[in-house]
């Protein structure tokens, strides 16, 4: 009955101005959902009633959040066919240089906390700083949303409602721990909390007290933010003593289809193919202890990298190849004064995610594994393109363009 009423209310409201009485009706339905579905689960997991009330009493759904799945509509609200953002856009000079310059100042200001975190976890301070800068501009970015309203709305109306229910329960447990007052528990529109942008479940698993006050306050404490990011990476398998990766030259005879975390080789094997650092310097001896992996975020149309398992630990923080590359690159600029990538990003076709998805469907129909039809050119899609090109007698580029999309859509 509750869900049936919700359908009627939301269908009446969405797409038209919402009168005050209609908002009140929707708020009552939302409160009924919290009382009948969320509270019993919270209680079963040990959340005190007073904590539940402090977090959610009188809460109203936030219909301005992106991506909500409204009953009776064909898909998430306010979605559009976005153009895919080329990799070069992720590395705008101002963004990279600004993050690195601020990171160097933060390295001096928080040297003690960074050194302590590195001793405990083996994670270098410059990597921690680069994540902190990317996630919240070292704490300067506005984090405007009410955590509990965001998570409760998404538990109610998001396509991944079950996931957000779990995060809402985790957030209630965080509130019960009391790291900061309830009013200070701000988040992004997706429910990521504080300066390191942890989801509540990640807070419970990985947040750390860096300043010794007995709390893990990732909203206002720089030391706790630093300690928490380092612990997160260590808990996800950061290998102390190894770097994240290196820009390399990729000889024309080395196939771009060798990319991927499932195609690791010892460094000596890559060197035997003629791959070398763009700097001309030898690889550190520590990198000979384990596998390395080819990573080509723009296929043959951009810089090439050999990365270590630590690169994929960075991807555990955010699943994007470009995110992990940005963090590693900014970290290098903070610690070593590294400059821009040596190889340029070649101009790429303007292509939409819908066109990439059509290309992926064409590859799947031809027996290739693209890792899922999502409109994003991840490593499986990139190398599937290269394998198809090689099979057609074409020079492999391992990156989508309009001509490929048209050819594969046939």
């Amino acid at each position: 009955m509750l869900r049936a009423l919700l359908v009627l209310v939301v269908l009446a409201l969405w797409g038209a101005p919402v009168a005050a009485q209609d908002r009140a009706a929707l708020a009552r339905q939302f409160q009924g959902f919290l009382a009948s579905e969320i509270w019993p689960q919270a209680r079963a997991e040990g959340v005190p009633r007073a904590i539940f009330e402090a977090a959610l009493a009188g809460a109203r759904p936030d219909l301005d959040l992106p991506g909500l799945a409204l009953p009776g509509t064909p898909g998430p609200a306010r979605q559009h066919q976005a153009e895919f953002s080329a990799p070069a856009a992720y590395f705008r000079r101002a963004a990279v240089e600004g993050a690195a310059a601020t990171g160097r100042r933060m390295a001096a200001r928080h040297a003690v906390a960074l050194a302590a975190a590195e001793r405990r976890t083996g994670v270098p301070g410059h990597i921690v700083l680069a994540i902190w800068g990317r996630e919240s501009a070292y704490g300067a970015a506005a984090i405007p949303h009410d955590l509990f309203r965001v998570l409760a709305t998404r538990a109610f109306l998001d396509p991944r409602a079950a996931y957000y229910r779990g995060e809402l329960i985790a957030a209630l447990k965080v509130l019960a721990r009391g790291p900061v007052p309830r009013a200070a528990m701000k988040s992004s529109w997706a429910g990521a909390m504080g300066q390191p942008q942890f989801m509540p479940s990640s807070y419970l698993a990985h947040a750390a007290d860096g300043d010794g006050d007995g709390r893990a306050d990732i909203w206002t404490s720089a030391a706790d933010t630093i300690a928490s990011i380092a612990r997160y990476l260590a808990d996800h398998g950061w290998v102390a003593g190894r770097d994240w990766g290196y820009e390399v030259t990729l000889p024309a005879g080395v196939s771009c289809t060798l990319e991927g975390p499932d195609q690791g080789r010892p460094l000596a094997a890559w060197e035997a193919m003629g791959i070398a650092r763009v700097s001309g310097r030898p690889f550190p001896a520590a990198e000979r202890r384990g596998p390395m992996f080819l990573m080509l975020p723009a296929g043959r149309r951009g810089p090439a990298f050999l990365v270590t398992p630590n690169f994929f630990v960075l991807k555990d923080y955010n699943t994007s190849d470009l995110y992990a590359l940005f963090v590693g690159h900014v970290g290098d600029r903070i610690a070593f004064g590294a400059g821009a990538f040596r190889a340029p990003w070649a101009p790429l076709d303007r292509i939409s995610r819908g066109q990439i998805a059509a290309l992926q469907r064409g590859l799947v129909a031809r027996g290739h594994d693209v890792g899922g039809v999502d409109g994003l050119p991840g490593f499986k899609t990139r190398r599937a393109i290269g394998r198809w090109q090689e099979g057609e007698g074409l020079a492999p580029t391992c990156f989508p363009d309009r001509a490929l999309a048209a050819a594969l859509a046939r």
Side-chain angles (χ1 to χ4, degrees):
M1 177 61 71
L2 175 62
R3 285 295 179 187
L5 290 172
L6 171 63
V7 170
L8 293 175
V9 171
V10 175
L11 287 178
L13 296 181
W14 200 257
V18 182
Q21 63 269 27
D22 292 331
R23 288 185 177 275
L26 182 56
R28 288 194 295 273
Q29 296 297 329
F30 182 60
Q31 282 293 317
F33 161 75
L34 296 177
S36 65
E37 299 190 37
I38 298 301
W39 166 239
Q41 183 179 350
R43 179 178 57 197
E45 297 196 29
V47 175
R49 181 70 189 188
I51 293 296
F52 180 83
E53 292 292 336
L56 295 168
R60 291 171 175 262
D62 184 354
L63 297 182
D64 291 328
L65 296 175
L68 300 180
L70 301 171
T73 60
R78 297 197 292 115
Q79 299 292 307
H80 62 279
Q81 194 64 269
E83 179 179 300
F84 169 69
S85 181
Y90 212 92
F91 295 91
R92 296 187 309 275
R93 179 176 177 178
V96 171
E97 292 183 353
T102 304
R104 286 189 288 271
R105 293 194 295 272
M106 289 294 181
R109 184 179 305 170
H110 301 291
V112 172
L114 289 162
E118 185 165 355
R119 284 194 302 273
R120 286 193 298 268
T121 65
V123 178
H126 59 274
I127 293 294
V128 172
L129 286 168
I131 289 178
W132 187 16
R134 186 66 183 174
E135 295 295 339
S136 66
Y138 304 99
I143 303 175
H145 294 279
D146 181 273
L147 169 66
F148 296 99
R149 189 183 185 201
V150 166
L151 293 176
T153 300
R154 293 199 175 280
F156 193 42
L157 291 173
D158 193 276
R160 296 195 298 158
Y163 166 76
Y164 281 106
R165 285 191 189 202
E167 293 298 338
L168 178 56
I169 300 301
L172 292 168
K173 293 177 180 178
V174 175
L175 181 60
R177 289 189 180 186
V180 292
R182 188 254 179 266
M185 294 181 70
K186 300 295 185 180
S187 77
S188 72
W189 55 261
M193 311 186 306
Q195 296 185 40
Q197 288 290 275
F198 277 5
M199 294 303 292
S201 60
S202 291
Y203 177 97
L204 292 175
H206 309 295
D209 173 18
D211 56 19
D213 67 355
R215 302 179 301 150
D217 173 7
I218 61 172
W219 289 267
T220 66
S221 170
D224 290 0
T225 296
I226 289 167
S228 297
I229 294 171
R231 181 178 172 189
Y232 182 102
L233 297 176
D235 288 350
H236 282 79
W238 185 273
V239 181
R242 297 198 71 184
D243 211 327
W244 67 271
Y246 306 84
E247 187 184 357
V248 297
T249 56
L250 188 67
V254 177
S255 175
C256 55
T257 65
L258 295 178
E259 180 182 12
D262 53 352
Q263 299 193 98
R265 288 170 165 77
L267 178 56
W270 295 113
E271 290 176 319
M273 298 179 195
I275 293 176
R277 294 178 69 180
V278 295
S279 66
R281 295 192 297 271
F283 290 94
E287 305 303 2
R288 301 189 181 277
R289 301 200 312 247
M292 299 191 77
F293 309 84
L294 183 63
M295 205 275 289
L296 303 168
R300 280 281 183 180
R301 294 173 175 169
F305 304 88
L306 280 185
V307 300
T308 76
N310 287 337
F311 179 84
F312 302 104
V313 174
L314 295 178
K315 284 192 66 176
D316 284 334
Y317 206 102
N318 182 308
T319 58
S320 164
D321 287 336
L322 296 178
Y323 175 94
L325 182 58
F326 184 94
V327 166
H329 182 56
V330 169
D332 285 351
R333 284 177 173 245
I334 292 170
F336 313 120
F341 298 134
R342 297 285 185 90
W345 301 98
L348 299 173
D349 286 352
R350 295 173 67 89
I351 186 168
S352 73
R353 287 185 61 174
Q355 289 172 300
I356 295 173
L359 176 151
Q360 289 172 323
R361 286 192 289 272
L363 287 167
V364 170
R366 290 162 172 82
H368 293 279
D369 178 11
V370 300
V373 177
D374 58 4
L376 296 172
F379 78 89
K380 287 188 175 181
T381 295
R382 296 194 295 265
R383 73 185 184 194
I385 289 171
R387 288 170 178 170
W388 178 80
Q389 290 171 318
E390 289 177 341
E392 295 293 309
L394 303 171
T397 63
C398 295
F399 205 75
D401 58 37
R402 286 196 298 269
L404 281 170
L408 286 164
R410 291 196 293 268

